[in-house]
Each structure stands twice: as structure tokens, then as C-alpha cells.
Amino acid sequence: MSLVFYYGSEPWDGPVDLYDMFRLEGTEKEKAILEKYLPNYRINLVDAERLEETERFSEDLQVILTMLKYRKNKDGLRNYVNENKQFFQKVDHETSQAMKAFLNMKHIPGETENKEEAINMCEAIQEMYDDGVRDGMQQGIQQGRDDLLKEKVKRKLQKQKSLEQIADELEEDVRVIRKIIKEVQ
């Protein structure tokens, strides 16, 4: 029996049986002969993000499968963790490693070499959320700086200032100002 455990964020678009995998080509007669000697094995697909009845699985797997649905929605993930805090405060090593992989986490705070020790995933997920917020704020600040610099360059261009004058007055590298001028013109 073949089993594919797919946890991508886009719906599965790959083959679901052996014939699809080989994409048998040729005349109908040739296909019929090949199919006579090559049985069509179905690939059992678990499309984790789109599973409906996760309660059929063990508690650990239920949690992981449900988390996959929230991996692009940090607020939703944080709410889910808060609703299931009792579980997430004491997660075994194997489950924590699966969560780490599926959520693309670099590390888990409190993670140790001791595989017997339970891990508080609430802290790990909160840290992941906080990192996302910090990254967003940094990107916003940088975007604001870039926009302000572009606006200043535009005003100086309207005053007929040269590239070198603008770079000198704004205390920026000439290459940076040249790039901005190309963008705004």
C-alpha cells in the first residue's frame, strides 16, 4: 500500500494512482496491453491541510493536523494554541519536532537533548508570533524610511538639483540616489 502524506498549503495536484504517475501514452490497444501486465495501484493520499475529520486520529496528530490549517494565519494559530493550552504546555519530544518541521520553526525555546522532557510549545509559538510582529514592524519602519527618502529626492529634483547635490545634501551614496531617481522618473 502506498501512502502520501502531503502537507503543502496548496491543494494536491499530483497523481493519485500508478497510471497517472506514468501517464500512459499510446494507442488504446497499447494501453490495454500495458494495463494487462501493470496493475493500477491507488496512492492513498492524506492531504493534511484539507482533512475534515481530524478527530479520528490520535490527539497528537489531531493537534498537528489542525495547526497546519493555521500555519499562514498567526493570529488563528495563537488562538488555537490558547484554546488548547493544557495540551501545548506539555508536548512530547516527537510531537514538538513534527510541529517544528511543519511550522518551519528554526528552534523551540526550552528544547533540550533530553527526549523524555516535555516542551512548552505555548512559549515557542508565542515567540514565533512575536518574531513575525517584530519583522513586520521592521519592514514597516524601513518602508517608511524608503518612502521618505524618495519624497525628498523628488522635491530636490523639482528644484533642479544634480545627482551629486542630492546625494550630498541627503548624506546618501550616489548609487542609492541614482536608483531612486530611476524609480521616480
Side-chain angles (χ1 to χ4, degrees), residues 158-176:
Q158 289 171 348
K159 294 179 181 177
Q160 305 298 315
K161 302 267 182 162
S162 71
L163 169 68
E164 290 75 16
Q165 287 174 313
I166 296 171
D168 185 53
E169 290 176 16
L170 296 177
E171 298 177 351
E172 286 289 339
D173 188 275
V174 172
R175 291 173 292 202
V176 171

Side-chain angles (χ1 to χ4, degrees), residues 6 10 12 41 53 58 94 101 111 115 121 131 148 159 169 180:
Y6 175 69
E10 298 299 318
W12 175 262
Y41 291 104
E53 300 172 10
S58 69
E94 287 179 5
E111 184 177 29
K115 294 181 180 181
M121 288 299 291
D131 287 348
L148 179 61
K159 294 179 181 177
E169 290 176 16
I180 292 172

Side-chain angles (χ1 to χ4, degrees), residues 83-119:
E83 290 168 10
N84 298 279
K85 210 170 210 159
Q86 188 173 0
F87 175 86
F88 284 102
Q89 286 175 331
K90 293 183 180 174
V91 175
D92 66 69
H93 180 77
E94 287 179 5
T95 304
S96 72
Q97 294 306 299
M99 290 177 185
K100 179 179 173 180
F102 291 146
L103 296 174
N104 295 318
M105 298 171 80
K106 292 177 183 75
H107 74 286
I108 299 174
E111 184 177 29
T112 66
E113 294 295 319
N114 182 359
K115 294 181 180 181
E116 301 300 316
E117 197 171 312
I119 297 170

Side-chain angles (χ1 to χ4, degrees), residues 5 27 36-37 61 72 82 87 93-94 98 106 115 128 133 139 145 165 168 179 181-182 184:
F5 184 82
T27 66
K36 180 178 176 182
Y37 296 104
L61 193 52
K72 289 188 175 182
N82 286 332
F87 175 86
H93 180 77
E94 287 179 5
K106 292 177 183 75
K115 294 181 180 181
M128 184 176 81
V133 169
Q139 289 173 3
R145 288 179 181 153
Q165 287 174 313
D168 185 53
K179 183 180 175 188
I181 290 173
K182 285 181 182 178
V184 299

